[in-house]
């Protein structure tokens, strides 16, 4: 097909030209004498994206899932209690990973489309007077349902109860797009990956770790080898990686951090908020509903859109791709066939957002979902036009 594929899955995301050029370099010697001149500032600057100065951010060759594993195995022991809620495919998978590492998972089922069940978390933690629960997990932005949870609210629950469990956050589809403050929010572990808000190819797992969580590694008995924080700690201190880093991705990461800091994190967050609102205006104009129930938890990086009962959301995804070269996200797990997803994270501008809505609108009609032609694009474009900051 001539022209570009329009990539609007909620990860991987579009790679900006600047990052592509930064990665188009010969491979380099990661043991060269001047390598730390490059790596040391990188280790410092990635912390700014996590908004931590007290913690450390480790960069692994892996996807986000490897980050989950690093978080668990470096801090916990088999049999430790873990509190997680299941309200989408990603929260589900992190809980499964904990089970595979022999954790005692207290899994709170919550409706898909809702945020972390704060009250249930509070009750369970309150009842846990023996402090058997060692880690409280929260999927900050549930990519399967387009729901963002309130991390400070979970922190407050722990603080009010003086519960010592580690607060672990899956920030894979949030960090670099949605406000995330590791230090201020008292987050002990924050996991991210390269292919979402960081606008890079898949291949890096990033793990932010507080000093408290670092201490816990000394007593954590889980087996760990490749993902051992100790190797990273020791080598990163002098500007090295313990194993061969994915050098091209690391060069891309340098450029990604530069771009985010040049735009300014508050502006990056505001841009995502505005585009997300434009998408929601479009969805409302179509007469469709989001999977996310509470406007307070609407995600600024992904919208999961519910199709009418007698329709199949997979048809929308298929038609969009086959007919218009537009990649949308399908429904995952419990909401497969019921929702499709528009990813709106990373390197986007107004017209790109509108192009996704235009293609989706056509694919909806092709799938027998009778939305008025131009309605979504009309609502979104007018919102974008009238909320543009004067130059
Ligand atoms: C994409 C994603 C992951 C990680 O998935 P990988 O495919 O391993 O990178 C984890 N959590 C959330 C919320 C995600 O969106």
């Amino acid at each position: 097909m001539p022209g570009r594929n329009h990539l609007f899955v909620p990860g991987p995301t579009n790679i900006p030209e600047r990052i592509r050029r930064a990665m188009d370099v010969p491979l380099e010697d990661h043991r060269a004498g001047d390598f730390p001149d490059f790596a040391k500032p990188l280790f410092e600057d990635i912390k700014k994206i996590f908004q931590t100065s007290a913690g450390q951010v480790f960069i692994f060759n892996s996807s986000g899932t490897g980050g989950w594993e690093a978080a668990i195995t470096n801090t916990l022991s088999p049999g430790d209690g873990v509190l997680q809620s299941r309200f989408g495919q990603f929260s589900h998978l992190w809980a499964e990973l904990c089970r595979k590492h022999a954790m005692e998972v207290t899994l709170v089922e919550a409706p898909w489309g809702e945020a972390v069940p704060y009250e249930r978390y509070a009750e369970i933690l309150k009842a846990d007077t023996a402090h058997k629960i060692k880690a409280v997990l929260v999927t900050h932005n549930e990519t399967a349902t387009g729901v963002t949870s309130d991390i400070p609210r979970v922190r407050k629950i722990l603080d009010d109860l003086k519960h010592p469990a580690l607060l672990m956050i899956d920030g894979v589809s949030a960090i670099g797009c949605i406000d995330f403050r590791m230090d201020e929010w008292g987050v002990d572990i924050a996991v991210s990956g390269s292919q979402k808000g960081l606008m890079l190819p898949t291949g890096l797992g990033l793990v932010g770790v507080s000093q408290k969580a670092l201490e816990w590694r000394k007593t954590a008995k889980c087996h760990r080898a490749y993902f051992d924080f100790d190797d990273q700690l020791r080598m990163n201190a002098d500007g090295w990686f313990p194993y061969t880093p994915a050098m091209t991705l690391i060069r891309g990461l340098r450029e990604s951090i530069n771009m985010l800091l040049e735009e300014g994190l508050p502006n990056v967050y505001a841009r995502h908020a505005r585009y997300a609102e434009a998408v929601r205006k479009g969805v409302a104009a179509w007469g469709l509903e989001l999977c996310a129930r509470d406007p307070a938890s609407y995600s600024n990086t992904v919208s999961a859109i519910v199709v009418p009962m007698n329709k199949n959301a997979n048809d929308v995804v298929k038609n969009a791709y086959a007919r218009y070269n537009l990649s949308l996200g399908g429904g995952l797990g419990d909401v497969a066939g019921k929702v499709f997803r528009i990813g709106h994270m990373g390197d986007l501008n107004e017209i790109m957002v509108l192009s996704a809505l235009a293609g989706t609108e056509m694919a909806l009609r092709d799938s027998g979902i009778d939305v008025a032609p131009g309605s979504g694009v009309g609502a979104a474009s007018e919102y974008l036009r009238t909320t543009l900051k004067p130059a």
Side-chain angles (χ1 to χ4, degrees), residues 10-11 63-66 68 90-91 139 141-144 170-173 193 195-196 202 345:
S63 74
T65 304
W68 284 344
F90 293 93
S91 46
T139 303
N141 185 73
E142 177 47 84
T143 319
D170 173 354
V172 179
S173 60
Q195 79 275 23
K196 308 224 170 147
T202 316
M345 72 181 104

mmCIF file with all atom_site columns, all heavy atoms in Angstrom, residues 10-11 63-66 68 90-91 139 141-144 170-173 193 195-196 202 345, ligand 1:
data_model
loop_
_atom_site.group_PDB
_atom_site.id
_atom_site.type_symbol
_atom_site.label_atom_id
_atom_site.label_alt_id
_atom_site.label_comp_id
_atom_site.label_asym_id
_atom_site.label_entity_id
_atom_site.label_seq_id
_atom_site.pdbx_PDB_ins_code
_atom_site.Cartn_x
_atom_site.Cartn_y
_atom_site.Cartn_z
_atom_site.occupancy
_atom_site.B_iso_or_equiv
_atom_site.pdbx_formal_charge
_atom_site.auth_seq_id
_atom_site.auth_comp_id
_atom_site.auth_asym_id
_atom_site.auth_atom_id
_atom_site.pdbx_PDB_model_num
ATOM   1   N N   . PRO A 1 10  ? -2.077 0.839   21.288 1.00 0.00 ? 10  PRO A N   1
ATOM   2   C CA  . PRO A 1 10  ? -1.497 1.431   22.516 1.00 0.00 ? 10  PRO A CA  1
ATOM   3   C C   . PRO A 1 10  ? -0.147 0.804   22.841 1.00 0.00 ? 10  PRO A C   1
ATOM   4   O O   . PRO A 1 10  ? 0.033  0.210   23.890 1.00 0.00 ? 10  PRO A O   1
ATOM   5   C CB  . PRO A 1 10  ? -2.558 1.152   23.578 1.00 0.00 ? 10  PRO A CB  1
ATOM   6   C CG  . PRO A 1 10  ? -3.383 0.036   23.041 1.00 0.00 ? 10  PRO A CG  1
ATOM   7   C CD  . PRO A 1 10  ? -3.177 -0.086  21.581 1.00 0.00 ? 10  PRO A CD  1
ATOM   8   N N   . GLY A 1 11  ? 0.756  0.911   21.945 1.00 0.00 ? 11  GLY A N   1
ATOM   9   C CA  . GLY A 1 11  ? 2.100  0.353   22.070 1.00 0.00 ? 11  GLY A CA  1
ATOM   10  C C   . GLY A 1 11  ? 2.228  -0.905  21.247 1.00 0.00 ? 11  GLY A C   1
ATOM   11  O O   . GLY A 1 11  ? 1.374  -1.772  21.373 1.00 0.00 ? 11  GLY A O   1
ATOM   12  N N   . SER A 1 63  ? 11.407 -6.492  27.570 1.00 0.00 ? 63  SER A N   1
ATOM   13  C CA  . SER A 1 63  ? 10.216 -5.655  27.421 1.00 0.00 ? 63  SER A CA  1
ATOM   14  C C   . SER A 1 63  ? 9.709  -5.345  28.830 1.00 0.00 ? 63  SER A C   1
ATOM   15  O O   . SER A 1 63  ? 10.366 -5.673  29.827 1.00 0.00 ? 63  SER A O   1
ATOM   16  C CB  . SER A 1 63  ? 9.162  -6.349  26.559 1.00 0.00 ? 63  SER A CB  1
ATOM   17  O OG  . SER A 1 63  ? 8.546  -7.388  27.273 1.00 0.00 ? 63  SER A OG  1
ATOM   18  N N   . GLY A 1 64  ? 8.547  -4.738  28.921 1.00 0.00 ? 64  GLY A N   1
ATOM   19  C CA  . GLY A 1 64  ? 8.009  -4.351  30.222 1.00 0.00 ? 64  GLY A CA  1
ATOM   20  C C   . GLY A 1 64  ? 7.833  -5.539  31.159 1.00 0.00 ? 64  GLY A C   1
ATOM   21  O O   . GLY A 1 64  ? 8.041  -5.434  32.369 1.00 0.00 ? 64  GLY A O   1
ATOM   22  N N   . THR A 1 65  ? 7.480  -6.675  30.603 1.00 0.00 ? 65  THR A N   1
ATOM   23  C CA  . THR A 1 65  ? 7.252  -7.873  31.414 1.00 0.00 ? 65  THR A CA  1
ATOM   24  C C   . THR A 1 65  ? 8.510  -8.244  32.208 1.00 0.00 ? 65  THR A C   1
ATOM   25  O O   . THR A 1 65  ? 8.419  -8.678  33.362 1.00 0.00 ? 65  THR A O   1
ATOM   26  C CB  . THR A 1 65  ? 6.800  -9.041  30.505 1.00 0.00 ? 65  THR A CB  1
ATOM   27  O OG1 . THR A 1 65  ? 5.638  -8.615  29.781 1.00 0.00 ? 65  THR A OG1 1
ATOM   28  C CG2 . THR A 1 65  ? 6.469  -10.283 31.300 1.00 0.00 ? 65  THR A CG2 1
ATOM   29  N N   . GLY A 1 66  ? 9.667  -8.079  31.607 1.00 0.00 ? 66  GLY A N   1
ATOM   30  C CA  . GLY A 1 66  ? 10.920 -8.333  32.318 1.00 0.00 ? 66  GLY A CA  1
ATOM   31  C C   . GLY A 1 66  ? 11.065 -7.388  33.500 1.00 0.00 ? 66  GLY A C   1
ATOM   32  O O   . GLY A 1 66  ? 11.600 -7.766  34.553 1.00 0.00 ? 66  GLY A O   1
ATOM   33  N N   . TRP A 1 68  ? 8.577  -6.242  35.319 1.00 0.00 ? 68  TRP A N   1
ATOM   34  C CA  . TRP A 1 68  ? 7.728  -6.806  36.380 1.00 0.00 ? 68  TRP A CA  1
ATOM   35  C C   . TRP A 1 68  ? 8.515  -7.865  37.167 1.00 0.00 ? 68  TRP A C   1
ATOM   36  O O   . TRP A 1 68  ? 8.468  -7.922  38.387 1.00 0.00 ? 68  TRP A O   1
ATOM   37  C CB  . TRP A 1 68  ? 6.534  -7.550  35.765 1.00 0.00 ? 68  TRP A CB  1
ATOM   38  C CG  . TRP A 1 68  ? 5.408  -6.730  35.229 1.00 0.00 ? 68  TRP A CG  1
ATOM   39  C CD1 . TRP A 1 68  ? 5.136  -5.411  35.467 1.00 0.00 ? 68  TRP A CD1 1
ATOM   40  C CD2 . TRP A 1 68  ? 4.356  -7.216  34.367 1.00 0.00 ? 68  TRP A CD2 1
ATOM   41  N NE1 . TRP A 1 68  ? 3.981  -5.052  34.804 1.00 0.00 ? 68  TRP A NE1 1
ATOM   42  C CE2 . TRP A 1 68  ? 3.487  -6.138  34.121 1.00 0.00 ? 68  TRP A CE2 1
ATOM   43  C CE3 . TRP A 1 68  ? 4.065  -8.455  33.789 1.00 0.00 ? 68  TRP A CE3 1
ATOM   44  C CZ2 . TRP A 1 68  ? 2.356  -6.262  33.328 1.00 0.00 ? 68  TRP A CZ2 1
ATOM   45  C CZ3 . TRP A 1 68  ? 2.942  -8.569  32.998 1.00 0.00 ? 68  TRP A CZ3 1
ATOM   46  C CH2 . TRP A 1 68  ? 2.093  -7.480  32.767 1.00 0.00 ? 68  TRP A CH2 1
ATOM   47  N N   . PHE A 1 90  ? -3.509 -6.392  31.775 1.00 0.00 ? 90  PHE A N   1
ATOM   48  C CA  . PHE A 1 90  ? -2.143 -6.184  32.263 1.00 0.00 ? 90  PHE A CA  1
ATOM   49  C C   . PHE A 1 90  ? -2.049 -6.387  33.768 1.00 0.00 ? 90  PHE A C   1
ATOM   50  O O   . PHE A 1 90  ? -1.076 -6.963  34.262 1.00 0.00 ? 90  PHE A O   1
ATOM   51  C CB  . PHE A 1 90  ? -1.611 -4.826  31.797 1.00 0.00 ? 90  PHE A CB  1
ATOM   52  C CG  . PHE A 1 90  ? -1.429 -4.817  30.308 1.00 0.00 ? 90  PHE A CG  1
ATOM   53  C CD1 . PHE A 1 90  ? -2.432 -4.355  29.469 1.00 0.00 ? 90  PHE A CD1 1
ATOM   54  C CD2 . PHE A 1 90  ? -0.296 -5.372  29.734 1.00 0.00 ? 90  PHE A CD2 1
ATOM   55  C CE1 . PHE A 1 90  ? -2.284 -4.405  28.079 1.00 0.00 ? 90  PHE A CE1 1
ATOM   56  C CE2 . PHE A 1 90  ? -0.142 -5.431  28.353 1.00 0.00 ? 90  PHE A CE2 1
ATOM   57  C CZ  . PHE A 1 90  ? -1.146 -4.946  27.525 1.00 0.00 ? 90  PHE A CZ  1
ATOM   58  N N   . SER A 1 91  ? -3.087 -5.964  34.492 1.00 0.00 ? 91  SER A N   1
ATOM   59  C CA  . SER A 1 91  ? -3.086 -6.249  35.931 1.00 0.00 ? 91  SER A CA  1
ATOM   60  C C   . SER A 1 91  ? -3.201 -7.759  36.150 1.00 0.00 ? 91  SER A C   1
ATOM   61  O O   . SER A 1 91  ? -2.584 -8.317  37.065 1.00 0.00 ? 91  SER A O   1
ATOM   62  C CB  . SER A 1 91  ? -4.209 -5.487  36.633 1.00 0.00 ? 91  SER A CB  1
ATOM   63  O OG  . SER A 1 91  ? -5.430 -5.575  35.938 1.00 0.00 ? 91  SER A OG  1
ATOM   64  N N   . THR A 1 139 ? -1.567 -1.194  38.734 1.00 0.00 ? 139 THR A N   1
ATOM   65  C CA  . THR A 1 139 ? -1.349 -0.914  37.318 1.00 0.00 ? 139 THR A CA  1
ATOM   66  C C   . THR A 1 139 ? -1.838 0.517   37.098 1.00 0.00 ? 139 THR A C   1
ATOM   67  O O   . THR A 1 139 ? -3.040 0.769   37.111 1.00 0.00 ? 139 THR A O   1
ATOM   68  C CB  . THR A 1 139 ? -2.125 -1.930  36.456 1.00 0.00 ? 139 THR A CB  1
ATOM   69  O OG1 . THR A 1 139 ? -1.687 -3.239  36.830 1.00 0.00 ? 139 THR A OG1 1
ATOM   70  C CG2 . THR A 1 139 ? -1.896 -1.696  34.976 1.00 0.00 ? 139 THR A CG2 1
ATOM   71  N N   . ASN A 1 141 ? -1.855 2.686   34.617 1.00 0.00 ? 141 ASN A N   1
ATOM   72  C CA  . ASN A 1 141 ? -2.755 2.891   33.482 1.00 0.00 ? 141 ASN A CA  1
ATOM   73  C C   . ASN A 1 141 ? -3.042 1.513   32.876 1.00 0.00 ? 141 ASN A C   1
ATOM   74  O O   . ASN A 1 141 ? -2.155 0.906   32.279 1.00 0.00 ? 141 ASN A O   1
ATOM   75  C CB  . ASN A 1 141 ? -2.078 3.809   32.464 1.00 0.00 ? 141 ASN A CB  1
ATOM   76  C CG  . ASN A 1 141 ? -2.990 4.178   31.324 1.00 0.00 ? 141 ASN A CG  1
ATOM   77  O OD1 . ASN A 1 141 ? -3.916 4.975   31.478 1.00 0.00 ? 141 ASN A OD1 1
ATOM   78  N ND2 . ASN A 1 141 ? -2.770 3.585   30.160 1.00 0.00 ? 141 ASN A ND2 1
ATOM   79  N N   . GLU A 1 142 ? -4.252 1.021   33.093 1.00 0.00 ? 142 GLU A N   1
ATOM   80  C CA  . GLU A 1 142 ? -4.623 -0.305  32.566 1.00 0.00 ? 142 GLU A CA  1
ATOM   81  C C   . GLU A 1 142 ? -4.903 -0.154  31.074 1.00 0.00 ? 142 GLU A C   1
ATOM   82  O O   . GLU A 1 142 ? -5.937 0.379   30.665 1.00 0.00 ? 142 GLU A O   1
ATOM   83  C CB  . GLU A 1 142 ? -5.813 -0.862  33.344 1.00 0.00 ? 142 GLU A CB  1
ATOM   84  C CG  . GLU A 1 142 ? -6.357 -2.190  32.870 1.00 0.00 ? 142 GLU A CG  1
ATOM   85  C CD  . GLU A 1 142 ? -5.324 -3.283  32.609 1.00 0.00 ? 142 GLU A CD  1
ATOM   86  O OE1 . GLU A 1 142 ? -4.910 -3.990  33.552 1.00 0.00 ? 142 GLU A OE1 1
ATOM   87  O OE2 . GLU A 1 142 ? -4.946 -3.429  31.431 1.00 0.00 ? 142 GLU A OE2 1
ATOM   88  N N   . THR A 1 143 ? -3.954 -0.612  30.280 1.00 0.00 ? 143 THR A N   1
ATOM   89  C CA  . THR A 1 143 ? -3.981 -0.396  28.828 1.00 0.00 ? 143 THR A CA  1
ATOM   90  C C   . THR A 1 143 ? -5.112 -1.161  28.141 1.00 0.00 ? 143 THR A C   1
ATOM   91  O O   . THR A 1 143 ? -5.534 -0.813  27.051 1.00 0.00 ? 143 THR A O   1
ATOM   92  C CB  . THR A 1 143 ? -2.625 -0.826  28.228 1.00 0.00 ? 143 THR A CB  1
ATOM   93  O OG1 . THR A 1 143 ? -1.590 -0.374  29.108 1.00 0.00 ? 143 THR A OG1 1
ATOM   94  C CG2 . THR A 1 143 ? -2.375 -0.221  26.877 1.00 0.00 ? 143 THR A CG2 1
ATOM   95  N N   . ALA A 1 144 ? -5.602 -2.200  28.786 1.00 0.00 ? 144 ALA A N   1
ATOM   96  C CA  . ALA A 1 144 ? -6.667 -2.997  28.174 1.00 0.00 ? 144 ALA A CA  1
ATOM   97  C C   . ALA A 1 144 ? -8.018 -2.303  28.249 1.00 0.00 ? 144 ALA A C   1
ATOM   98  O O   . ALA A 1 144 ? -8.890 -2.549  27.418 1.00 0.00 ? 144 ALA A O   1
ATOM   99  C CB  . ALA A 1 144 ? -6.751 -4.363  28.856 1.00 0.00 ? 144 ALA A CB  1
ATOM   100 N N   . ASP A 1 170 ? 2.969  -0.488  37.947 1.00 0.00 ? 170 ASP A N   1
ATOM   101 C CA  . ASP A 1 170 ? 3.186  -0.734  36.522 1.00 0.00 ? 170 ASP A CA  1
ATOM   102 C C   . ASP A 1 170 ? 2.885  0.574   35.809 1.00 0.00 ? 170 ASP A C   1
ATOM   103 O O   . ASP A 1 170 ? 1.730  0.976   35.699 1.00 0.00 ? 170 ASP A O   1
ATOM   104 C CB  . ASP A 1 170 ? 2.256  -1.856  36.038 1.00 0.00 ? 170 ASP A CB  1
ATOM   105 C CG  . ASP A 1 170 ? 2.324  -2.046  34.528 1.00 0.00 ? 170 ASP A CG  1
ATOM   106 O OD1 . ASP A 1 170 ? 2.993  -1.240  33.843 1.00 0.00 ? 170 ASP A OD1 1
ATOM   107 O OD2 . ASP A 1 170 ? 1.698  -3.002  34.034 1.00 0.00 ? 170 ASP A OD2 1
ATOM   108 N N   . GLY A 1 171 ? 3.935  1.228   35.366 1.00 0.00 ? 171 GLY A N   1
ATOM   109 C CA  . GLY A 1 171 ? 3.757  2.514   34.681 1.00 0.00 ? 171 GLY A CA  1
ATOM   110 C C   . GLY A 1 171 ? 4.040  2.409   33.190 1.00 0.00 ? 171 GLY A C   1
ATOM   111 O O   . GLY A 1 171 ? 4.364  3.414   32.554 1.00 0.00 ? 171 GLY A O   1
ATOM   112 N N   . VAL A 1 172 ? 3.913  1.206   32.649 1.00 0.00 ? 172 VAL A N   1
ATOM   113 C CA  . VAL A 1 172 ? 4.378  0.995   31.272 1.00 0.00 ? 172 VAL A CA  1
ATOM   114 C C   . VAL A 1 172 ? 3.665  1.921   30.277 1.00 0.00 ? 172 VAL A C   1
ATOM   115 O O   . VAL A 1 172 ? 4.305  2.511   29.426 1.00 0.00 ? 172 VAL A O   1
ATOM   116 C CB  . VAL A 1 172 ? 4.258  -0.479  30.834 1.00 0.00 ? 172 VAL A CB  1
ATOM   117 C CG1 . VAL A 1 172 ? 4.733  -0.633  29.387 1.00 0.00 ? 172 VAL A CG1 1
ATOM   118 C CG2 . VAL A 1 172 ? 5.078  -1.391  31.729 1.00 0.00 ? 172 VAL A CG2 1
ATOM   119 N N   . SER A 1 173 ? 2.356  2.067   30.390 1.00 0.00 ? 173 SER A N   1
ATOM   120 C CA  . SER A 1 173 ? 1.662  2.920   29.416 1.00 0.00 ? 173 SER A CA  1
ATOM   121 C C   . SER A 1 173 ? 1.330  4.293   30.010 1.00 0.00 ? 173 SER A C   1
ATOM   122 O O   . SER A 1 173 ? 0.419  4.973   29.551 1.00 0.00 ? 173 SER A O   1
ATOM   123 C CB  . SER A 1 173 ? 0.390  2.232   28.917 1.00 0.00 ? 173 SER A CB  1
ATOM   124 O OG  . SER A 1 173 ? -0.493 1.968   29.987 1.00 0.00 ? 173 SER A OG  1
ATOM   125 N N   . GLY A 1 193 ? 8.513  0.457   29.972 1.00 0.00 ? 193 GLY A N   1
ATOM   126 C CA  . GLY A 1 193 ? 9.112  -0.209  28.810 1.00 0.00 ? 193 GLY A CA  1
ATOM   127 C C   . GLY A 1 193 ? 9.373  0.838   27.750 1.00 0.00 ? 193 GLY A C   1
ATOM   128 O O   . GLY A 1 193 ? 8.863  1.954   27.820 1.00 0.00 ? 193 GLY A O   1
ATOM   129 N N   . GLN A 1 195 ? 8.636  0.914   24.440 1.00 0.00 ? 195 GLN A N   1
ATOM   130 C CA  . GLN A 1 195 ? 7.832  1.050   23.216 1.00 0.00 ? 195 GLN A CA  1
ATOM   131 C C   . GLN A 1 195 ? 6.513  1.785   23.404 1.00 0.00 ? 195 GLN A C   1
ATOM   132 O O   . GLN A 1 195 ? 5.653  1.717   22.561 1.00 0.00 ? 195 GLN A O   1
ATOM   133 C CB  . GLN A 1 195 ? 7.568  -0.338  22.612 1.00 0.00 ? 195 GLN A CB  1
ATOM   134 C CG  . GLN A 1 195 ? 6.468  -1.164  23.256 1.00 0.00 ? 195 GLN A CG  1
ATOM   135 C CD  . GLN A 1 195 ? 6.939  -1.958  24.455 1.00 0.00 ? 195 GLN A CD  1
ATOM   136 O OE1 . GLN A 1 195 ? 7.922  -1.624  25.077 1.00 0.00 ? 195 GLN A OE1 1
ATOM   137 N NE2 . GLN A 1 195 ? 6.215  -3.010  24.800 1.00 0.00 ? 195 GLN A NE2 1
ATOM   138 N N   . LYS A 1 196 ? 6.368  2.495   24.517 1.00 0.00 ? 196 LYS A N   1
ATOM   139 C CA  . LYS A 1 196 ? 5.108  3.214   24.721 1.00 0.00 ? 196 LYS A CA  1
ATOM   140 C C   . LYS A 1 196 ? 5.394  4.714   24.798 1.00 0.00 ? 196 LYS A C   1
ATOM   141 O O   . LYS A 1 196 ? 5.690  5.317   23.787 1.00 0.00 ? 196 LYS A O   1
ATOM   142 C CB  . LYS A 1 196 ? 4.385  2.648   25.931 1.00 0.00 ? 196 LYS A CB  1
ATOM   143 C CG  . LYS A 1 196 ? 4.253  1.129   25.803 1.00 0.00 ? 196 LYS A CG  1
ATOM   144 C CD  . LYS A 1 196 ? 2.938  0.546   26.149 1.00 0.00 ? 196 LYS A CD  1
ATOM   145 C CE  . LYS A 1 196 ? 2.914  -0.918  25.737 1.00 0.00 ? 196 LYS A CE  1
ATOM   146 N NZ  . LYS A 1 196 ? 2.128  -1.775  26.596 1.00 0.00 ? 196 LYS A NZ  1
ATOM   147 N N   . THR A 1 202 ? 10.507 -1.703  20.916 1.00 0.00 ? 202 THR A N   1
ATOM   148 C CA  . THR A 1 202 ? 10.471 -2.588  22.076 1.00 0.00 ? 202 THR A CA  1
ATOM   149 C C   . THR A 1 202 ? 11.891 -3.069  22.364 1.00 0.00 ? 202 THR A C   1
ATOM   150 O O   . THR A 1 202 ? 12.673 -3.239  21.427 1.00 0.00 ? 202 THR A O   1
ATOM   151 C CB  . THR A 1 202 ? 9.614  -3.827  21.755 1.00 0.00 ? 202 THR A CB  1
ATOM   152 O OG1 . THR A 1 202 ? 8.445  -3.395  21.085 1.00 0.00 ? 202 THR A OG1 1
ATOM   153 C CG2 . THR A 1 202 ? 9.255  -4.594  23.003 1.00 0.00 ? 202 THR A CG2 1
ATOM   154 N N   . MET A 1 345 ? -0.726 7.763   22.531 1.00 0.00 ? 345 MET A N   1
ATOM   155 C CA  . MET A 1 345 ? 0.421  8.091   23.377 1.00 0.00 ? 345 MET A CA  1
ATOM   156 C C   . MET A 1 345 ? 1.675  8.252   22.531 1.00 0.00 ? 345 MET A C   1
ATOM   157 O O   . MET A 1 345 ? 1.814  7.629   21.486 1.00 0.00 ? 345 MET A O   1
ATOM   158 C CB  . MET A 1 345 ? 0.623  7.032   24.458 1.00 0.00 ? 345 MET A CB  1
ATOM   159 C CG  . MET A 1 345 ? 1.151  5.707   24.023 1.00 0.00 ? 345 MET A CG  1
ATOM   160 S SD  . MET A 1 345 ? 1.290  4.558   25.422 1.00 0.00 ? 345 MET A SD  1
ATOM   161 C CE  . MET A 1 345 ? -0.125 3.482   25.148 1.00 0.00 ? 345 MET A CE  1
HETATM 162 C C1  . LIG B 2 .   ? 2.556  -2.906  27.314 1.00 0.00 ? 1   LIG B C1  1
HETATM 163 C C2  . LIG B 2 .   ? 2.327  -3.072  28.753 1.00 0.00 ? 1   LIG B C2  1
HETATM 164 C C3  . LIG B 2 .   ? 3.100  -3.931  29.543 1.00 0.00 ? 1   LIG B C3  1
HETATM 165 C C4  . LIG B 2 .   ? 4.315  -4.677  29.106 1.00 0.00 ? 1   LIG B C4  1
HETATM 166 O O1  . LIG B 2 .   ? 4.221  -5.469  28.081 1.00 0.00 ? 1   LIG B O1  1
HETATM 167 P P1  . LIG B 2 .   ? 5.492  -5.941  27.251 1.00 0.00 ? 1   LIG B P1  1
HETATM 168 O O2  . LIG B 2 .   ? 4.812  -6.493  26.057 1.00 0.00 ? 1   LIG B O2  1
HETATM 169 O O3  . LIG B 2 .   ? 6.213  -6.941  28.041 1.00 0.00 ? 1   LIG B O3  1
HETATM 170 O O4  . LIG B 2 .   ? 6.319  -4.729  26.981 1.00 0.00 ? 1   LIG B O4  1
HETATM 171 C C5  . LIG B 2 .   ? 2.864  -3.984  30.891 1.00 0.00 ? 1   LIG B C5  1
HETATM 172 N N1  . LIG B 2 .   ? 1.902  -3.251  31.449 1.00 0.00 ? 1   LIG B N1  1
HETATM 173 C C6  . LIG B 2 .   ? 1.146  -2.407  30.752 1.00 0.00 ? 1   LIG B C6  1
HETATM 174 C C7  . LIG B 2 .   ? 0.134  -1.593  31.479 1.00 0.00 ? 1   LIG B C7  1
HETATM 175 C C8  . LIG B 2 .   ? 1.324  -2.284  29.384 1.00 0.00 ? 1   LIG B C8  1
HETATM 176 O O5  . LIG B 2 .   ? 0.583  -1.427  28.696 1.00 0.00 ? 1   LIG B O5  1
#
